[in-house]
Amino acid sequence: MGTEVDPAFIQAPENRPKPTIAEARGIPLIDLSGPIDHLVREIGGACGEWGFFQVINHGLPKEAHRKIESAAKEFFARPAEEKRRVRRDEVKVLGYYDTEHTKNVRDWKEVFDFTVDDPTLVPASSDPDDNQVATWTNHWPENLPGFREACEEYAQEVQKLSTKLMELIALSLGLSANRFSGYFKDQTTAIRLNHYPPCPIPHLTLGVGQHKDISVLSVLAQDDVAGLQVKRKTDGEWILVKPTPDAFIVNVGQILQVWSNDKYESVEHRVMVNSEKERLSIPFFLYPAHYTMVKPLEELTDEQNPAKYRACNWGKFFITRKGSNFRKLGVENIQFHHFRVSK
Ligand code: OGA
Ligand code: NI
């Protein structure tokens, strides 16, 4: 990126990052080696009050984490033309790209996407009457020994952690531990490598604009360069999530918000960039099978607390988003709140 910055990167004044920010005091830090009853209470509290927490003693092997980090660094350091050889397009939605927009402003980042299940089953089109199924396959860079293995090994490990977290979340909602497991048999879960290069105008741009994850749950590894900010529920203040060595950041996604009928809300977050240091982060987005109809769980709704959302076909939602979020649109993207029942 040259000295002349593309105006597509410039955030509206109200969305630009402020120079001073409070630290992450308050975002719960949860020790997953603790006693189960205590853990369930802590996780339930964190999901309800913050929508965000960090976990330590999570059991994810350090080596798997270290390997994917160095593989990602190596990949992003390759020449642009080499990275573009695994670039995504309209048909091939996985791989490398550097032109994502969040809310129609370009993000200061480049990414590499892959799915945990390979191939992954998805609807063939966003047309609601089209019942055909298609597959996505991962596209790995050539000439980068160990990259694919590092990604696949990490995927297996972070998947195990997410299963443990979903069991604790189920228990915290008064459900049986394996209540959610059926949704993930043909999961569409994906992992993204995010690289945020240094930026000459960090006060005008964002690495990722303000958004809520559409996942069930996201499990994020960040390096030691701060940048992630979370919008605190109590006062709307942007809080920096201070990097904690070996901790993973977990956040409630919009599907879990719908399943829990708003008991656990998905919270907005964004990424600041800086002029000196590059930053790397690795989110794991837990997504259900494409045929899942996302709606509030029956166990969590009754006459006093009726369902706040109509059912939404996850696969159709997902590929509609996939088809649209890498080009600048004049219209709003499809959103879960479009499925909200009006009062
Ligand atoms: C995302 C995201 C946070 C980060 O990719 O959805 O919120 O710290 N990333 O990179
Ligand atoms: Ni996010």
Side-chain angles (χ1 to χ4, degrees):
M1 293 164 185
T3 38
E4 281 298 311
V5 170
D6 182 345
F9 285 110
I10 308 299
Q11 297 285 338
E14 66 274 20
N15 291 334
R16 292 175 192 167
K18 281 183 262 160
T20 52
I21 342 91
E23 289 218 329
R25 213 178 316 120
I27 287 183
L29 183 67
I30 299 180
D31 180 346
L32 287 186
S33 66
I36 180 107
D37 293 358
H38 179 67
L39 260 182
V40 168
R41 269 198 308 279
E42 273 193 303
I43 294 222
C47 288
E49 283 159 38
W50 282 92
F52 255 92
F53 56 94
Q54 300 201 72
V55 292
I56 51 168
N57 293 324
H58 39 68
L60 194 145
K62 243 189 207 156
E63 187 59 9
H65 182 193
R66 197 199 56 72
K67 273 202 235 162
I68 194 171
E69 261 194 0
S70 55
K73 283 197 182 129
E74 220 185 310
F75 172 72
F76 289 119
R78 305 305 287 189
E81 83 223 33
E82 202 179 307
K83 293 185 277 192
R84 291 199 182 120
R85 254 176 249 145
V86 283
R87 184 146 73 169
R88 67 177 275 182
D89 54 38
E90 300 264 347
V91 186
K92 205 178 77 180
V93 301
L94 300 165
Y96 173 79
Y97 62 113
D98 60 0
T99 53
E100 186 165 64
H101 292 77
T102 302
K103 313 247 165 86
N104 295 332
V105 183
R106 189 161 163 201
D107 294 331
W108 194 273
K109 69 173 180 193
E110 49 181 347
V111 313
F112 181 87
D113 284 335
F114 63 98
T115 51
V116 170
D117 290 355
D118 189 20
T120 289
L121 300 178
V122 291
S125 77
S126 54
D127 175 356
D129 298 322
D130 179 0
N131 291 324
Q132 289 189 83
V133 173
T135 53
W136 286 346
T137 49
N138 287 330
H139 298 277
W140 303 106
E142 287 168 28
N143 312 325
L144 212 57
F147 180 84
R148 175 180 181 167
E149 290 69 24
C151 289
E152 290 179 344
E153 183 189 344
Y154 181 79
Q156 294 316 306
E157 296 298 341
V158 71
Q159 177 100 66
K160 283 184 221 161
L161 173 56
S162 81
T163 303
K164 198 187 297 180
L165 291 165
M166 287 309 293
E167 288 174 1
L168 292 165
I169 287 170
L171 293 170
S172 79
L173 290 167
L175 307 166
S176 63
N178 67 358
R179 173 63 177 84
F180 295 115
S181 59
Y183 295 116
F184 301 106
K185 189 177 147 296
D186 296 309
Q187 66 174 345
T188 51
T189 297
I191 293 180
R192 168 169 286 181
L193 311 176
N194 277 315
H195 178 237
Y196 304 97
C199 175
I201 49 162
H203 56 297
L204 299 178
T205 60
L206 288 168
V208 187
Q210 163 175 358
H211 68 283
K212 296 175 184 176
D213 292 351
I214 57 175
S215 58
V216 175
L217 195 75
S218 305
V219 181
L220 177 96
Q222 68 170 342
D223 67 6
D224 56 359
V225 179
L228 174 62
Q229 294 183 321
V230 172
K231 197 172 185 178
R232 185 160 56 198
K233 276 180 83 169
T234 49
D235 57 5
E237 198 60 49
W238 288 101
I239 307 293
L240 191 68
V241 181
K242 205 179 156 191
T244 304
D246 295 325
F248 286 87
I249 299 162
V250 182
N251 66 286
V252 171
Q254 296 187 66
I255 297 176
L256 182 54
Q257 173 164 353
V258 173
W259 280 348
S260 73
N261 206 30
D262 284 352
K263 183 152 195 242
Y264 294 164
E265 281 170 347
S266 176
V267 165
E268 280 184 309
H269 52 285
R270 65 185 187 186
V271 175
M272 284 196 314
V273 287
N274 72 81
S275 57
E276 275 126 53
K277 289 184 176 160
E278 59 177 346
R279 177 172 182 270
L280 186 76
S281 76
I282 310 173
F284 164 96
F285 298 113
L286 181 67
Y287 297 133
H290 75 87
Y291 45 76
T292 306
M293 294 303 291
V294 176
K295 57 178 200 273
L297 299 182
E298 276 166 23
E299 304 94 303
L300 301 180
T301 54
D302 57 27
E303 263 166 54
Q304 268 70 55
N305 181 25
K308 294 186 167 128
Y309 299 87
R310 287 177 283 118
C312 164
N313 180 301
W314 165 245
K316 297 289 179 188
F317 182 97
F318 194 33
I319 66 158
T320 304
R321 291 284 286 230
K322 277 283 176 198
S324 60
N325 72 5
F326 67 103
R327 55 174 191 260
K328 197 169 194 281
L329 290 172
V331 293
E332 200 198 0
N333 225 332
I334 185 169
Q335 303 286 350
F336 278 108
H337 67 242
H338 299 157
F339 293 83
R340 204 173 251 290
V341 177
S342 51
K343 300 214 175 76

